[in-house]
Amino acid sequence: MRDRKTRSGKDAETIGIEALSFLASDQDLMQRFLDVTGIEADEVRTLVSHQSFFVGVLDFISAHEPTLMTFCGFAALQPDEVSNARRKLDAGW
């Protein structure tokens, strides 16, 4: 059985939720995410039940190194833990 937790002790789902919380804590960043993805703000509640949504959140954060590094500080993670969480969520964990 594969280990679901990262070095920080967080599983991929937790990292995805923390990533969304990070976006939501910054109105400009959240708006940019919504604009880039075409998602409407009122759709987010429905989409959080899908792992693929969190893959997109982590992709968005990872696409801009300063945002990634700020998120890593926010969530006490290393950048490779974010990419590993994204990969695990994409694999259906």
Side-chain angles (χ1 to χ4, degrees):
M1 177 187 247
R2 297 183 298 189
D3 184 10
R4 295 181 59 148
K5 299 211 182 224
T6 62
R7 282 189 309 274
S8 64
K10 299 175 183 181
D11 61 28
E13 293 86 357
T14 298
I15 293 171
I17 292 166
E18 287 181 335
L20 180 59
S21 176
F22 169 74
L23 291 181
S25 72
D26 181 321
Q27 184 177 3
D28 292 335
L29 191 58
M30 185 66 175
Q31 189 59 54
R32 188 167 27 141
F33 171 73
L34 296 173
D35 291 344
V36 166
T37 61
I39 295 170
E40 297 292 329
D42 59 349
E43 293 177 292
V44 173
R45 282 192 184 169
T46 302
L47 294 172
V48 296
S49 64
H50 303 280
Q51 283 185 324
S52 60
F53 173 73
F54 292 105
V55 171
V57 170
L58 293 175
D59 280 345
F60 175 80
I61 288 172
S62 297
H64 185 244
E65 187 175 0
T67 302
L68 172 63
M69 298 311 294
T70 302
F71 170 62
C72 286
F74 173 88
L77 296 167
Q78 295 298 313
D80 67 313
E81 292 178 283
V82 176
S83 60
N84 288 339
R86 186 251 180 246
R87 190 181 69 255
K88 289 174 183 179
L89 289 169
D90 193 37
W93 273 26

